[in-house]
Amino acid sequence: MDYGNVNWIVAIVSLLAGLGIGVIGYRMLATSSTQLHDLRRQVAERDRELGVLREGLDEHFTQVGMMVSNIQREMRTLEHRLTEDASTLESKPKNAPPLKAADQPALTGEESEQIPAPRDYADGSGGTLSEDFGLKPREEKSELPQPPRY
């Protein structure tokens, strides 16, 4: 082997080693750039989805607002009709008989004393709430034969 060719061999080996190191470095950087590209694509997709959701939410709130305004309008219409019907009911028709319960005065102090207060217990006359309801009288109990005592 000639020493002049050694320089060429070292140069070619160095060039091949540099190419190999360059390819490995490019692959590593390309992987990072690919991941970066994928992340940017995902961010763009998320932004698009968020925009669609915002538009849908805006539309939803617009519809809900219209429904609320419709309900308020219907409520005002109903309230107006109720006030008209109430004013109509205040005037008595010509052929209708007067109401009995409305014409009677409320109970005064003397009348309220005549009506007994409701009770939650029996008055002892043998009703279902009396204490001896369903029990046999004492006379019948004494006629029953008693067992002998020891």
Side-chain angles (χ1 to χ4, degrees):
M1 220 165 73
D2 194 17
Y3 287 112
N5 290 336
V6 172
N7 288 338
W8 283 102
I9 293 175
V10 169
I12 291 173
V13 170
S14 297
L15 180 64
L16 291 176
L19 283 174
I21 291 172
V23 168
I24 291 172
Y26 177 74
R27 289 283 185 187
M28 289 183 170
L29 292 175
T31 305
S32 298
S33 67
T34 305
Q35 289 175 350
L36 182 63
H37 179 63
D38 289 342
L39 288 175
R40 286 182 182 168
R41 184 180 49 80
Q42 287 178 356
V43 167
E45 287 178 12
R46 298 293 190 260
D47 285 343
R48 184 185 54 80
E49 290 174 0
L50 185 60
V52 169
L53 286 175
R54 283 182 181 163
E55 289 175 8
L57 192 61
D58 290 342
E59 182 179 336
H60 171 73
F61 281 133
T62 303
Q63 289 177 354
V64 168
M66 289 189 319
M67 288 178 187
V68 167
S69 64
N70 288 341
I71 289 172
Q72 288 174 343
R73 187 180 68 243
E74 292 292 328
M75 183 182 67
R76 278 186 245 117
T77 305
L78 180 64
E79 184 180 6
H80 179 67
R81 183 169 177 179
L82 284 173
T83 56
E84 286 179 352
D85 291 346
S87 65
T88 305
L89 286 176
E90 286 179 5
S91 62
K92 295 182 182 178
K94 297 176 184 176
N95 298 335
L99 296 175
K100 301 286 183 185
D103 292 338
Q104 293 178 356
L107 294 176
T108 60
E110 296 173 3
E111 293 173 356
S112 64
E113 290 176 2
Q114 295 173 357
I115 299 174
R119 300 180 298 185
D120 60 349
Y121 56 92
D123 58 358
S125 64
T128 57
L129 294 178
S130 67
E131 293 179 2
D132 58 351
F133 178 75
L135 300 177
K136 296 180 181 179
R138 290 200 174 260
E139 300 157 358
E140 292 179 12
K141 285 185 179 178
S142 61
E143 294 175 4
L144 294 175
Q146 297 291 328
R149 293 188 178 192
Y150 298 105

Short mmCIF file of all heavy atoms in Angstrom, two decimals, residues 54-121:
data_model
loop_
_atom_site.label_atom_id
_atom_site.label_comp_id
_atom_site.label_asym_id
_atom_site.label_seq_id
_atom_site.Cartn_x
_atom_site.Cartn_y
_atom_site.Cartn_z
N ARG A 54 -68.47 26.88 19.97
CA ARG A 54 -68.87 28.24 20.32
C ARG A 54 -70.05 28.69 19.46
O ARG A 54 -70.98 29.32 19.96
CB ARG A 54 -67.70 29.20 20.14
CG ARG A 54 -66.70 29.11 21.25
CD ARG A 54 -65.57 30.10 21.05
NE ARG A 54 -64.60 29.99 22.12
CZ ARG A 54 -63.39 30.48 22.07
NH1 ARG A 54 -62.97 31.12 20.99
NH2 ARG A 54 -62.57 30.34 23.09
N GLU A 55 -70.00 28.38 18.16
CA GLU A 55 -71.12 28.75 17.29
C GLU A 55 -72.39 28.04 17.74
O GLU A 55 -73.47 28.64 17.78
CB GLU A 55 -70.79 28.40 15.84
CG GLU A 55 -69.73 29.27 15.21
CD GLU A 55 -69.35 28.80 13.82
OE1 GLU A 55 -70.02 27.89 13.29
OE2 GLU A 55 -68.38 29.35 13.27
N GLY A 56 -72.28 26.76 18.06
CA GLY A 56 -73.45 26.01 18.52
C GLY A 56 -73.98 26.57 19.83
O GLY A 56 -75.19 26.66 20.04
N LEU A 57 -73.08 26.95 20.73
CA LEU A 57 -73.49 27.50 22.02
C LEU A 57 -74.16 28.86 21.82
O LEU A 57 -75.17 29.15 22.47
CB LEU A 57 -72.27 27.62 22.93
CG LEU A 57 -72.54 27.92 24.40
CD1 LEU A 57 -73.38 26.81 25.01
CD2 LEU A 57 -71.24 28.06 25.15
N ASP A 58 -73.61 29.68 20.93
CA ASP A 58 -74.24 30.97 20.64
C ASP A 58 -75.64 30.78 20.09
O ASP A 58 -76.59 31.47 20.49
CB ASP A 58 -73.38 31.77 19.65
CG ASP A 58 -72.09 32.27 20.25
OD1 ASP A 58 -71.99 32.29 21.51
OD2 ASP A 58 -71.17 32.62 19.48
N GLU A 59 -75.78 29.82 19.17
CA GLU A 59 -77.10 29.54 18.60
C GLU A 59 -78.06 29.04 19.67
O GLU A 59 -79.24 29.44 19.71
CB GLU A 59 -76.96 28.51 17.48
CG GLU A 59 -78.26 28.18 16.78
CD GLU A 59 -78.06 27.16 15.67
OE1 GLU A 59 -76.93 27.05 15.15
OE2 GLU A 59 -79.04 26.47 15.34
N HIS A 60 -77.56 28.18 20.55
CA HIS A 60 -78.40 27.64 21.63
C HIS A 60 -78.90 28.77 22.54
O HIS A 60 -80.08 28.84 22.87
CB HIS A 60 -77.60 26.63 22.44
CG HIS A 60 -78.28 26.18 23.69
ND1 HIS A 60 -79.36 25.33 23.69
CD2 HIS A 60 -78.02 26.48 25.00
CE1 HIS A 60 -79.74 25.12 24.94
NE2 HIS A 60 -78.94 25.80 25.75
N PHE A 61 -77.99 29.66 22.95
CA PHE A 61 -78.40 30.76 23.83
C PHE A 61 -79.35 31.72 23.13
O PHE A 61 -80.25 32.28 23.75
CB PHE A 61 -77.18 31.50 24.37
CG PHE A 61 -76.51 30.78 25.51
CD1 PHE A 61 -75.14 30.61 25.52
CD2 PHE A 61 -77.25 30.26 26.56
CE1 PHE A 61 -74.52 29.95 26.56
CE2 PHE A 61 -76.64 29.59 27.60
CZ PHE A 61 -75.27 29.43 27.60
N THR A 62 -79.19 31.89 21.83
CA THR A 62 -80.11 32.74 21.07
C THR A 62 -81.50 32.12 21.08
O THR A 62 -82.51 32.81 21.31
CB THR A 62 -79.62 32.91 19.63
OG1 THR A 62 -78.30 33.46 19.65
CG2 THR A 62 -80.53 33.81 18.84
N GLN A 63 -81.58 30.82 20.85
CA GLN A 63 -82.88 30.14 20.86
C GLN A 63 -83.51 30.18 22.24
O GLN A 63 -84.71 30.40 22.38
CB GLN A 63 -82.71 28.68 20.39
CG GLN A 63 -82.42 28.54 18.93
CD GLN A 63 -82.19 27.09 18.53
OE1 GLN A 63 -82.13 26.20 19.38
NE2 GLN A 63 -82.04 26.86 17.24
N VAL A 64 -82.71 29.95 23.28
CA VAL A 64 -83.24 30.00 24.65
C VAL A 64 -83.75 31.39 24.96
O VAL A 64 -84.81 31.57 25.58
CB VAL A 64 -82.16 29.53 25.66
CG1 VAL A 64 -82.59 29.84 27.09
CG2 VAL A 64 -81.90 28.05 25.51
N GLY A 65 -83.02 32.42 24.54
CA GLY A 65 -83.47 33.80 24.75
C GLY A 65 -84.79 34.08 24.06
O GLY A 65 -85.68 34.73 24.63
N MET A 66 -84.95 33.58 22.84
CA MET A 66 -86.23 33.76 22.13
C MET A 66 -87.35 33.02 22.85
O MET A 66 -88.46 33.53 22.96
CB MET A 66 -86.11 33.29 20.69
CG MET A 66 -85.24 34.19 19.83
SD MET A 66 -85.24 33.84 18.06
CE MET A 66 -85.19 32.09 17.95
N MET A 67 -87.06 31.81 23.36
CA MET A 67 -88.08 31.06 24.08
C MET A 67 -88.49 31.79 25.35
O MET A 67 -89.68 31.84 25.69
CB MET A 67 -87.57 29.66 24.42
CG MET A 67 -87.45 28.74 23.26
SD MET A 67 -86.78 27.15 23.82
CE MET A 67 -86.53 26.34 22.27
N VAL A 68 -87.52 32.35 26.06
CA VAL A 68 -87.83 33.09 27.29
C VAL A 68 -88.68 34.31 26.97
O VAL A 68 -89.65 34.61 27.66
CB VAL A 68 -86.53 33.49 28.03
CG1 VAL A 68 -86.80 34.50 29.11
CG2 VAL A 68 -85.88 32.25 28.62
N SER A 69 -88.33 35.01 25.89
CA SER A 69 -89.14 36.19 25.53
C SER A 69 -90.54 35.77 25.12
O SER A 69 -91.52 36.46 25.43
CB SER A 69 -88.45 36.98 24.42
OG SER A 69 -88.37 36.21 23.23
N ASN A 70 -90.68 34.62 24.44
CA ASN A 70 -92.03 34.12 24.10
C ASN A 70 -92.82 33.77 25.35
O ASN A 70 -94.01 34.07 25.45
CB ASN A 70 -91.92 32.89 23.20
CG ASN A 70 -91.47 33.23 21.80
OD1 ASN A 70 -91.57 34.38 21.36
ND2 ASN A 70 -90.96 32.25 21.09
N ILE A 71 -92.15 33.13 26.32
CA ILE A 71 -92.83 32.79 27.57
C ILE A 71 -93.26 34.05 28.31
O ILE A 71 -94.38 34.13 28.84
CB ILE A 71 -91.91 31.92 28.46
CG1 ILE A 71 -91.78 30.53 27.84
CG2 ILE A 71 -92.45 31.81 29.88
CD1 ILE A 71 -90.75 29.66 28.53
N GLN A 72 -92.39 35.07 28.32
CA GLN A 72 -92.75 36.32 28.99
C GLN A 72 -93.94 36.99 28.29
O GLN A 72 -94.84 37.50 28.94
CB GLN A 72 -91.55 37.27 29.01
CG GLN A 72 -90.47 36.85 29.96
CD GLN A 72 -89.24 37.72 29.87
OE1 GLN A 72 -89.04 38.45 28.88
NE2 GLN A 72 -88.39 37.66 30.89
N ARG A 73 -93.93 36.95 26.95
CA ARG A 73 -95.05 37.54 26.21
C ARG A 73 -96.35 36.79 26.51
O ARG A 73 -97.39 37.39 26.76
CB ARG A 73 -94.74 37.53 24.71
CG ARG A 73 -95.79 38.27 23.89
CD ARG A 73 -95.51 38.26 22.40
NE ARG A 73 -95.66 36.91 21.88
CZ ARG A 73 -94.69 36.19 21.33
NH1 ARG A 73 -93.48 36.69 21.24
NH2 ARG A 73 -94.92 34.98 20.89
N GLU A 74 -96.28 35.45 26.51
CA GLU A 74 -97.45 34.64 26.83
C GLU A 74 -97.91 34.90 28.27
O GLU A 74 -99.10 34.93 28.56
CB GLU A 74 -97.15 33.16 26.62
CG GLU A 74 -96.93 32.76 25.19
CD GLU A 74 -98.19 32.87 24.36
OE1 GLU A 74 -99.29 32.67 24.90
OE2 GLU A 74 -98.06 33.19 23.17
N MET A 75 -96.96 35.09 29.19
CA MET A 75 -97.30 35.36 30.58
C MET A 75 -98.04 36.70 30.70
O MET A 75 -99.04 36.81 31.40
CB MET A 75 -96.04 35.39 31.44
CG MET A 75 -96.31 35.59 32.94
SD MET A 75 -94.81 35.68 33.91
CE MET A 75 -94.12 37.21 33.30
N ARG A 76 -97.54 37.71 29.97
CA ARG A 76 -98.22 39.01 29.99
C ARG A 76 -99.62 38.90 29.39
O ARG A 76 -100.58 39.48 29.91
CB ARG A 76 -97.39 40.05 29.25
CG ARG A 76 -96.29 40.63 30.11
CD ARG A 76 -95.58 41.76 29.40
NE ARG A 76 -94.21 41.30 29.18
CZ ARG A 76 -93.62 41.10 28.00
NH1 ARG A 76 -94.24 41.41 26.91
NH2 ARG A 76 -92.40 40.64 27.92
N THR A 77 -99.75 38.13 28.31
CA THR A 77 -101.06 37.93 27.69
C THR A 77 -102.00 37.22 28.66
O THR A 77 -103.17 37.61 28.81
CB THR A 77 -100.92 37.10 26.40
OG1 THR A 77 -99.99 37.73 25.54
CG2 THR A 77 -102.24 36.93 25.69
N LEU A 78 -101.51 36.18 29.34
CA LEU A 78 -102.32 35.45 30.30
C LEU A 78 -102.71 36.34 31.47
O LEU A 78 -103.85 36.32 31.93
CB LEU A 78 -101.55 34.22 30.79
CG LEU A 78 -102.26 33.34 31.82
CD1 LEU A 78 -103.52 32.74 31.20
CD2 LEU A 78 -101.33 32.25 32.29
N GLU A 79 -101.76 37.13 31.96
CA GLU A 79 -102.06 38.04 33.07
C GLU A 79 -103.11 39.07 32.66
O GLU A 79 -104.04 39.35 33.43
CB GLU A 79 -100.77 38.74 33.50
CG GLU A 79 -100.93 39.64 34.70
CD GLU A 79 -99.61 40.30 35.08
OE1 GLU A 79 -98.62 40.15 34.36
OE2 GLU A 79 -99.60 40.98 36.12
N HIS A 80 -102.99 39.59 31.44
CA HIS A 80 -103.98 40.56 30.95
C HIS A 80 -105.37 39.92 30.85
O HIS A 80 -106.38 40.49 31.26
CB HIS A 80 -103.54 41.09 29.58
CG HIS A 80 -104.47 42.08 28.97
ND1 HIS A 80 -104.67 43.34 29.52
CD2 HIS A 80 -105.28 42.00 27.89
CE1 HIS A 80 -105.56 43.98 28.78
NE2 HIS A 80 -105.94 43.19 27.78
N ARG A 81 -105.39 38.67 30.34
CA ARG A 81 -106.68 37.97 30.22
C ARG A 81 -107.28 37.68 31.59
O ARG A 81 -108.48 37.80 31.80
CB ARG A 81 -106.49 36.67 29.45
CG ARG A 81 -107.79 35.95 29.23
CD ARG A 81 -107.67 34.85 28.27
NE ARG A 81 -108.95 34.16 28.15
CZ ARG A 81 -109.16 33.15 27.36
NH1 ARG A 81 -108.19 32.72 26.60
NH2 ARG A 81 -110.33 32.57 27.32
N LEU A 82 -106.42 37.29 32.56
CA LEU A 82 -106.92 37.03 33.91
C LEU A 82 -107.50 38.29 34.54
O LEU A 82 -108.54 38.23 35.21
CB LEU A 82 -105.81 36.46 34.80
CG LEU A 82 -105.46 34.99 34.57
CD1 LEU A 82 -104.25 34.62 35.40
CD2 LEU A 82 -106.63 34.10 34.89
N THR A 83 -106.83 39.42 34.35
CA THR A 83 -107.37 40.66 34.91
C THR A 83 -108.68 41.03 34.24
O THR A 83 -109.61 41.50 34.90
CB THR A 83 -106.36 41.81 34.77
OG1 THR A 83 -105.99 41.95 33.39
CG2 THR A 83 -105.14 41.57 35.62
N GLU A 84 -108.79 40.80 32.93
CA GLU A 84 -110.06 41.07 32.25
C GLU A 84 -111.16 40.15 32.76
O GLU A 84 -112.28 40.58 33.02
CB GLU A 84 -109.90 40.89 30.74
CG GLU A 84 -109.15 41.99 30.06
CD GLU A 84 -109.01 41.74 28.56
OE1 GLU A 84 -109.38 40.63 28.10
OE2 GLU A 84 -108.53 42.65 27.87
N ASP A 85 -110.82 38.84 32.92
CA ASP A 85 -111.83 37.89 33.43
C ASP A 85 -112.21 38.22 34.86
O ASP A 85 -113.38 38.09 35.24
CB ASP A 85 -111.30 36.46 33.35
CG ASP A 85 -111.17 35.97 31.91
OD1 ASP A 85 -111.73 36.64 31.01
OD2 ASP A 85 -110.49 34.95 31.69
N ALA A 86 -111.26 38.64 35.66
CA ALA A 86 -111.57 38.99 37.05
C ALA A 86 -112.47 40.21 37.10
O ALA A 86 -113.40 40.28 37.90
CB ALA A 86 -110.28 39.26 37.83
N SER A 87 -112.21 41.19 36.23
CA SER A 87 -113.09 42.36 36.22
C SER A 87 -114.46 42.00 35.69
O SER A 87 -115.47 42.57 36.11
CB SER A 87 -112.45 43.48 35.38
OG SER A 87 -112.37 43.08 34.02
N THR A 88 -114.54 41.04 34.79
CA THR A 88 -115.84 40.58 34.28
C THR A 88 -116.60 39.85 35.38
O THR A 88 -117.82 39.99 35.50
CB THR A 88 -115.64 39.64 33.08
OG1 THR A 88 -114.86 40.31 32.10
CG2 THR A 88 -116.96 39.23 32.48
N LEU A 89 -115.91 39.06 36.20
CA LEU A 89 -116.58 38.31 37.26
C LEU A 89 -117.06 39.22 38.39
O LEU A 89 -118.00 38.86 39.10
CB LEU A 89 -115.63 37.25 37.83
CG LEU A 89 -115.39 36.04 36.93
CD1 LEU A 89 -114.35 35.13 37.56
CD2 LEU A 89 -116.67 35.29 36.67
N GLU A 90 -116.44 40.36 38.54
CA GLU A 90 -116.88 41.27 39.60
C GLU A 90 -118.26 41.82 39.32
O GLU A 90 -119.05 42.04 40.23
CB GLU A 90 -115.87 42.40 39.76
CG GLU A 90 -114.60 41.97 40.45
CD GLU A 90 -113.60 43.10 40.56
OE1 GLU A 90 -113.93 44.25 40.20
OE2 GLU A 90 -112.48 42.83 41.01
N SER A 91 -118.58 42.04 38.08
CA SER A 91 -119.93 42.50 37.75
C SER A 91 -120.83 41.28 37.68
O SER A 91 -120.57 40.33 36.97
CB SER A 91 -119.93 43.26 36.42
OG SER A 91 -119.53 42.39 35.38
N LYS A 92 -121.96 41.31 38.42
CA LYS A 92 -122.84 40.15 38.50
C LYS A 92 -123.78 40.14 37.29
O LYS A 92 -124.33 41.17 36.92
CB LYS A 92 -123.66 40.21 39.78
CG LYS A 92 -122.80 40.10 41.01
CD LYS A 92 -123.62 40.12 42.25
CE LYS A 92 -122.72 40.05 43.47
NZ LYS A 92 -123.47 40.12 44.70
N PRO A 93 -123.97 38.98 36.68
CA PRO A 93 -124.91 38.89 35.56
C PRO A 93 -126.34 39.14 36.05
O PRO A 93 -126.68 38.92 37.22
CB PRO A 93 -124.75 37.45 35.07
CG PRO A 93 -123.49 36.94 35.67
CD PRO A 93 -123.23 37.76 36.88
N LYS A 94 -127.21 39.55 35.15
CA LYS A 94 -128.58 39.92 35.52
C LYS A 94 -129.41 38.71 35.93
O LYS A 94 -130.19 38.77 36.86
CB LYS A 94 -129.26 40.62 34.34
CG LYS A 94 -128.58 41.92 33.98
CD LYS A 94 -129.20 42.52 32.76
CE LYS A 94 -128.46 43.79 32.35
NZ LYS A 94 -128.98 44.35 31.12
N ASN A 95 -129.25 37.58 35.28
CA ASN A 95 -130.10 36.41 35.53
C ASN A 95 -129.49 35.42 36.51
O ASN A 95 -130.16 34.48 36.91
CB ASN A 95 -130.37 35.68 34.21
CG ASN A 95 -131.13 36.56 33.24
OD1 ASN A 95 -131.83 37.48 33.64
ND2 ASN A 95 -130.98 36.29 31.95
N ALA A 96 -128.26 35.58 36.90
CA ALA A 96 -127.59 34.61 37.78
C ALA A 96 -128.00 34.84 39.23
O ALA A 96 -128.09 35.97 39.69
CB ALA A 96 -126.08 34.74 37.65
N PRO A 97 -128.28 33.74 39.98
CA PRO A 97 -128.62 33.90 41.40
C PRO A 97 -127.37 34.28 42.18
O PRO A 97 -126.25 33.93 41.80
CB PRO A 97 -129.11 32.51 41.81
CG PRO A 97 -128.45 31.58 40.86
CD PRO A 97 -128.31 32.34 39.56
N PRO A 98 -127.53 35.00 43.28
CA PRO A 98 -126.38 35.39 44.08
C PRO A 98 -125.76 34.17 44.77
O PRO A 98 -126.44 33.20 45.05
CB PRO A 98 -126.95 36.37 45.11
CG PRO A 98 -128.39 35.99 45.21
CD PRO A 98 -128.79 35.50 43.84
N LEU A 99 -124.49 34.25 45.03
CA LEU A 99 -123.79 33.17 45.70
C LEU A 99 -124.14 33.15 47.17
O LEU A 99 -124.17 34.17 47.83
CB LEU A 99 -122.27 33.35 45.53
CG LEU A 99 -121.77 33.26 44.09
CD1 LEU A 99 -120.27 33.59 44.06
CD2 LEU A 99 -122.02 31.90 43.50
N LYS A 100 -124.41 31.96 47.72
CA LYS A 100 -124.83 31.84 49.12
C LYS A 100 -123.65 32.02 50.08
O LYS A 100 -123.76 32.72 51.06
CB LYS A 100 -125.47 30.47 49.36
CG LYS A 100 -126.67 30.20 48.50
CD LYS A 100 -127.84 30.99 48.99
CE LYS A 100 -129.06 30.64 48.15
NZ LYS A 100 -130.19 31.41 48.46
N ALA A 101 -122.55 31.36 49.81
CA ALA A 101 -121.42 31.38 50.75
C ALA A 101 -120.81 32.78 50.83
O ALA A 101 -120.37 33.20 51.88
CB ALA A 101 -120.37 30.38 50.32
N ALA A 102 -120.81 33.50 49.75
CA ALA A 102 -120.21 34.83 49.76
C ALA A 102 -121.11 35.82 50.50
O ALA A 102 -120.63 36.80 51.06
CB ALA A 102 -119.98 35.31 48.34
N ASP A 103 -122.44 35.58 50.50
CA ASP A 103 -123.36 36.50 51.15
C ASP A 103 -123.39 36.30 52.66
O ASP A 103 -123.79 37.20 53.40
CB ASP A 103 -124.78 36.31 50.60
CG ASP A 103 -124.85 36.76 49.14
OD1 ASP A 103 -123.97 37.55 48.73
OD2 ASP A 103 -125.75 36.31 48.42
N GLN A 104 -123.00 35.13 53.15
CA GLN A 104 -123.05 34.88 54.59
C GLN A 104 -121.90 35.58 55.28
O GLN A 104 -120.77 35.55 54.80
CB GLN A 104 -122.97 33.38 54.87
CG GLN A 104 -124.19 32.62 54.37
CD GLN A 104 -124.06 31.14 54.63
OE1 GLN A 104 -123.03 30.69 55.10
NE2 GLN A 104 -125.11 30.40 54.33
N PRO A 105 -122.16 36.21 56.43
CA PRO A 105 -121.07 36.87 57.14
C PRO A 105 -120.17 35.84 57.82
O PRO A 105 -120.57 34.71 58.07
CB PRO A 105 -121.79 37.73 58.18
CG PRO A 105 -123.08 37.02 58.40
CD PRO A 105 -123.46 36.41 57.07
N ALA A 106 -118.98 36.24 58.12
CA ALA A 106 -118.04 35.37 58.82
C ALA A 106 -118.52 35.15 60.25
O ALA A 106 -119.32 35.91 60.79
CB ALA A 106 -116.65 35.99 58.82
N LEU A 107 -118.02 34.09 60.90
CA LEU A 107 -118.44 33.77 62.26
C LEU A 107 -117.94 34.84 63.22
O LEU A 107 -116.80 35.28 63.15
CB LEU A 107 -117.88 32.41 62.68
CG LEU A 107 -118.41 31.20 61.91
CD1 LEU A 107 -117.68 29.95 62.36
CD2 LEU A 107 -119.90 31.05 62.11
N THR A 108 -118.80 35.22 64.12
CA THR A 108 -118.41 36.17 65.16
C THR A 108 -117.99 35.40 66.39
O THR A 108 -118.02 34.18 66.41
CB THR A 108 -119.58 37.12 65.49
OG1 THR A 108 -120.68 36.33 65.97
CG2 THR A 108 -120.01 37.92 64.26
N GLY A 109 -117.64 36.08 67.45
CA GLY A 109 -117.17 35.44 68.68
C GLY A 109 -118.23 34.56 69.32
O GLY A 109 -117.95 33.49 69.82
N GLU A 110 -119.52 34.97 69.33
CA GLU A 110 -120.59 34.19 69.96
C GLU A 110 -120.86 32.91 69.19
O GLU A 110 -121.07 31.85 69.77
CB GLU A 110 -121.86 35.04 70.03
CG GLU A 110 -121.71 36.26 70.91
CD GLU A 110 -122.94 37.16 70.81
OE1 GLU A 110 -123.89 36.79 70.10
OE2 GLU A 110 -122.93 38.22 71.43
N GLU A 111 -120.85 32.98 67.87
CA GLU A 111 -121.15 31.80 67.06
C GLU A 111 -120.01 30.79 67.11
O GLU A 111 -120.22 29.59 67.05
CB GLU A 111 -121.40 32.22 65.61
CG GLU A 111 -122.67 33.05 65.46
CD GLU A 111 -122.81 33.60 64.04
OE1 GLU A 111 -121.90 33.38 63.24
OE2 GLU A 111 -123.83 34.22 63.77
N SER A 112 -118.77 31.27 67.23
CA SER A 112 -117.65 30.34 67.27
C SER A 112 -117.62 29.56 68.58
O SER A 112 -117.06 28.48 68.65
CB SER A 112 -116.33 31.09 67.08
OG SER A 112 -116.13 31.98 68.15
N GLU A 113 -118.23 30.08 69.66
CA GLU A 113 -118.29 29.34 70.92
C GLU A 113 -119.27 28.18 70.84
O GLU A 113 -119.15 27.21 71.56
CB GLU A 113 -118.68 30.29 72.05
CG GLU A 113 -117.59 31.29 72.39
CD GLU A 113 -118.05 32.28 73.44
OE1 GLU A 113 -119.20 32.16 73.91
OE2 GLU A 113 -117.26 33.17 73.79
N GLN A 114 -120.27 28.27 69.97
CA GLN A 114 -121.26 27.21 69.83
C GLN A 114 -120.71 26.00 69.08
O GLN A 114 -121.12 24.88 69.30
CB GLN A 114 -122.49 27.74 69.10
CG GLN A 114 -123.22 28.81 69.86
CD GLN A 114 -124.32 29.43 69.03
OE1 GLN A 114 -124.50 29.08 67.87
NE2 GLN A 114 -125.08 30.34 69.63
N ILE A 115 -119.78 26.21 68.21
CA ILE A 115 -119.21 25.11 67.42
C ILE A 115 -118.08 24.50 68.23
O ILE A 115 -117.13 25.19 68.61
CB ILE A 115 -118.68 25.63 66.07
CG1 ILE A 115 -119.83 26.23 65.27
CG2 ILE A 115 -118.01 24.50 65.30
CD1 ILE A 115 -119.38 26.90 63.99
N PRO A 116 -118.15 23.19 68.52
CA PRO A 116 -117.09 22.57 69.32
C PRO A 116 -115.80 22.43 68.51
O PRO A 116 -115.84 22.25 67.30
CB PRO A 116 -117.66 21.21 69.69
CG PRO A 116 -118.62 20.90 68.59
CD PRO A 116 -119.20 22.23 68.17
N ALA A 117 -114.70 22.50 69.22
CA ALA A 117 -113.40 22.34 68.56
C ALA A 117 -113.19 20.88 68.21
O ALA A 117 -113.60 19.99 68.95
CB ALA A 117 -112.30 22.82 69.50
N PRO A 118 -112.58 20.58 67.11
CA PRO A 118 -112.34 19.18 66.75
C PRO A 118 -111.35 18.55 67.73
O PRO A 118 -110.44 19.19 68.21
CB PRO A 118 -111.73 19.26 65.34
CG PRO A 118 -111.23 20.65 65.21
CD PRO A 118 -112.07 21.50 66.09
N ARG A 119 -111.58 17.25 68.02
CA ARG A 119 -110.72 16.54 68.96
C ARG A 119 -110.10 15.33 68.28
O ARG A 119 -110.67 14.80 67.33
CB ARG A 119 -111.55 16.07 70.16
CG ARG A 119 -112.21 17.20 70.92
CD ARG A 119 -113.00 16.68 72.06
NE ARG A 119 -114.07 15.82 71.56
CZ ARG A 119 -115.01 15.28 72.29
NH1 ARG A 119 -115.02 15.50 73.58
NH2 ARG A 119 -115.93 14.52 71.77
N ASP A 120 -108.98 14.89 68.78
CA ASP A 120 -108.35 13.70 68.24
C ASP A 120 -108.47 12.52 69.20
O ASP A 120 -107.68 11.59 69.14
CB ASP A 120 -106.88 13.97 67.89
CG ASP A 120 -106.09 14.37 69.11
OD1 ASP A 120 -106.72 14.65 70.15
OD2 ASP A 120 -104.86 14.39 69.02
N TYR A 121 -109.43 12.55 70.07
CA TYR A 121 -109.65 11.45 71.00
C TYR A 121 -111.16 11.20 71.10
O TYR A 121 -111.97 12.03 70.72
CB TYR A 121 -109.06 11.75 72.38
CG TYR A 121 -109.59 13.02 73.00
CD1 TYR A 121 -110.71 12.99 73.83
CD2 TYR A 121 -108.99 14.25 72.75
CE1 TYR A 121 -111.20 14.15 74.39
CE2 TYR A 121 -109.47 15.41 73.31
CZ TYR A 121 -110.58 15.36 74.13
OH TYR A 121 -111.07 16.49 74.67
#
